[in-house]
Amino acid sequence: MNRRDLLMGGAAAAAAAAVARGVAEAQEESPSATDAAGPATDVDPRYRPVVTPNGSSLPFRMVDGVKVFHLVAEPVRHVFTDGLEANCWGYNGSTPGPTIEAVEGDRVRIYVTNNLREPTTVHWHGVILPAGMDGVGGLTQRPIPPGQTFRYEFTFQHAGTFMYHPHWDEMTQMALGMMGMLVVHPRRPRGRQPDRDFAIMLSEWSIPMGSARPNPLEMNDFNVLTMNSKAFPGTEPLVVRRGDLVRIRFGNLSGIDNHPIHLHGYSFRITATDGGEIPRSAQEPNTTVLVPTGACRVIELVADNPGDWAMHCHMTHHIMNQMGHDFPNMIGAELPVATRRIRRMIPGYMTMGTDGMAEMGEMDMPVPDNSIPMRGGPGAFGRIDMGGMFTILKVREDLTSYDEDPGWYEHPQGTVARPATAAELAADGVET
């Protein structure tokens, strides 16, 4: 167990104890409000920490009652999934940057060091704050020159789910990965609090196959779609225990696209946007939540249906990895003669796409270095032929740890789709 695991374990125990004796009472207490600057930590006993799959939360220090953070804007080497990595930009060594967590009413001081080769700023997207802290280069502040550190300081007036990103050369800096989630917990939470609270940033990239860095000049043809900057199968599953109250916070800082995120096996309620909570009387049951670009959506559900459940963007090209779109449509084409003739000139030639594309990923065809075209991932019953903005919610009855992937769901006997027998077809009057 490393130091962070130890601290997180302590945080979970502290959070559970706080819930038992009344979270509201516990949240009246500010951690070491008068302590001098000490070691940075990512544990605050006033709330149950958010889980950022494939990511982390930003450590902080308490200095005279102010929660102090330090963001470092810098180049990062990022792996989207096995087979594709690129030179990106981010914060504190990652894209997205670490999630910032605080409590409603907290005074925060956020230092931003610019280790890029061009100026930058940080905009606290959705946060109500003084205009001079809004982070819009040229409008509310001078951009942060390379090598300098700027100080932002304000009070979080409202709880909610927000984001942060540059507001200087946005086209370049956000296209290269500079963004992060920002969660402000309520000071006096009402009702049952989530057992699992996830934060997922949706984004899209243009990475030509074989290239070393994303293309920030692309305007509409994005070929790598990600959750927390990971493309399936690189996305970590969301592991929950049966009966847990699960909250999932989505942020979307894609270049142009909205993302309809669909969760299998569940109906959920959309409980909040980055503008605030949605009154319960206005919450509708849904199975898909549309997350507009430049916005946040929060959903909640009770995990009462065990299994492995897909969660993905429902735009079909957003669950494919580095698909090419500039070759002709071959579906249904009959080309045996043409194929034979071409093979005389190009041994091994194969006409592709005439019978659909799902099995092309299993052919293990050579692809350019540092590329993942048609890449899917392993599943319990073979290959999952999706990629991109896809992950799995794993709900288990007897879960010993949230920190380990429980493996594939063991279905009760008789509950898995299988080939129909001739007797069954005949008995039900089905002709095939």
Side-chain angles (χ1 to χ4, degrees):
M1 176 178 292
N2 57 34
R3 178 178 175 277
R4 188 177 191 279
D5 292 337
L6 182 64
L7 291 171
M8 294 301 289
V19 170
R21 69 174 183 269
V23 174
E25 178 183 349
Q27 290 197 336
E28 291 291 342
E29 302 171 2
S30 179
S32 304
T34 58
D35 286 354
T41 177
D42 57 2
V43 176
D44 188 329
R46 297 175 297 167
Y47 52 81
R48 191 185 304 277
V50 165
V51 177
T52 306
N54 299 106
S56 63
S57 289
L58 183 63
F60 64 92
R61 292 181 174 85
M62 292 303 299
V63 182
D64 294 330
V66 178
K67 202 167 190 178
V68 178
F69 298 92
H70 185 194
L71 277 177
V72 180
E74 59 188 356
V76 299
R77 184 70 175 169
H78 179 69
V79 177
F80 290 87
T81 190
D82 183 33
L84 178 62
E85 58 183 289
N87 297 317
C88 303
W89 291 358
Y91 299 97
N92 300 59
S94 70
T95 172
T99 299
I100 296 175
E101 294 187 77
V103 172
E104 176 186 10
D106 275 358
R107 184 74 173 174
V108 296
R109 188 177 303 133
I110 306 176
Y111 292 94
V112 178
T113 297
N114 181 9
N115 285 344
L116 303 174
R117 297 172 63 180
E118 72 161 348
T120 189
T121 68
V122 177
H123 167 58
W124 317 103
H125 186 114
V127 177
I128 307 302
L129 40 55
M133 294 292 157
D134 199 37
V136 181
L139 176 65
T140 63
Q141 69 166 85
R142 289 190 299 110
I144 308 170
Q148 290 197 17
T149 298
F150 272 33
R151 189 179 91 162
Y152 296 84
E153 182 164 340
F154 52 87
T155 298
F156 283 114
Q157 302 178 33
H158 306 287
T161 303
F162 311 108
M163 302 180 285
Y164 64 90
H165 63 80
H167 237 309
W168 182 262
D169 195 9
E170 297 90 336
M171 182 187 76
T172 298
Q173 298 189 9
M174 294 172 70
L176 290 174
M178 294 183 68
M179 56 190 69
M181 297 292 292
L182 200 166
V183 174
V184 182
H185 299 271
R187 179 159 292 273
R188 294 181 177 83
R190 300 186 302 274
R192 181 183 175 185
Q193 294 305 293
D195 302 287
R196 297 288 277 165
D197 191 342
F198 298 97
I200 297 177
M201 174 67 77
L202 310 174
S203 57
E204 57 193 7
W205 313 67
S206 171
I207 309 178
M209 286 192 286
S211 62
R213 67 184 69 248
N215 175 18
L217 302 178
E218 180 56 59
M219 296 179 65
N220 53 27
D221 191 10
F222 300 95
N223 63 351
V224 177
L225 285 296
T226 59
M227 292 177 162
N228 287 337
S229 298
K230 293 286 186 178
F232 183 78
T235 52
E236 290 181 352
L238 280 57
V239 179
V240 308
R241 185 176 289 113
R242 184 175 186 177
D244 281 352
L245 176 60
V246 179
R247 177 181 291 162
I248 307 175
R249 307 169 189 258
F250 297 102
N252 181 9
L253 287 176
S254 299
I256 63 167
D257 283 307
N258 306 324
H259 298 295
I261 301 298
H262 176 58
L263 173 62
H264 294 212
Y266 281 91
S267 172
F268 53 75
R269 292 176 295 112
I270 304 172
T271 60
T273 73
D274 38 350
E277 291 186 6
I278 299 173
R280 191 170 183 85
S281 60
Q283 297 173 10
E284 298 179 345
N286 280 280
T287 64
T288 300
V289 54
L290 180 63
V291 188
T293 185
C296 297
R297 294 290 183 271
V298 181
I299 68 170
E300 290 187 6
L301 58 97
V302 175
D304 56 3
N305 192 12
D308 291 335
W309 301 108
M311 187 173 77
H312 59 91
C313 180
H314 220 288
M315 291 193 177
T316 54
H317 284 208
H318 293 184
I319 50 173
M320 304 297 291
N321 283 324
Q322 285 189 312
M323 277 288 293
H325 305 131
D326 55 354
F327 50 81
N329 177 12
M330 303 296 286
I331 296 294
E334 298 289 347
L335 299 170
V337 174
T339 298
R340 285 197 299 271
R341 289 176 177 173
I342 295 174
R343 279 179 180 165
R344 291 173 192 155
M345 298 180 287
I346 308 175
Y349 169 81
M350 179 174 59
T351 301
M352 299 172 59
T354 56
D355 301 319
M357 302 180 186
E359 296 179 346
M360 291 169 61
E362 296 179 326
M363 295 179 182
D364 197 25
M365 294 179 290
V367 298
D369 291 340
N370 197 41
S371 69
I372 50 173
M374 305 301 296
R375 174 75 187 281
F381 298 91
R383 176 178 172 273
I384 299 171
D385 70 345
M386 289 175 279
M389 207 172 272
F390 179 96
T391 190
I392 302 170
L393 174 69
K394 295 193 171 187
V395 183
R396 295 293 186 274
E397 186 79 53
D398 299 315
L399 194 66
T400 58
S401 171
Y402 288 126
D403 298 327
E404 297 179 4
D405 187 333
W408 300 117
Y409 180 63
E410 296 183 8
H411 299 264
Q413 187 173 6
T415 65
V416 176
R418 56 169 176 75
T421 68
E424 289 169 337
L425 293 171
D428 288 332
V430 177
E431 297 182 359
T432 62

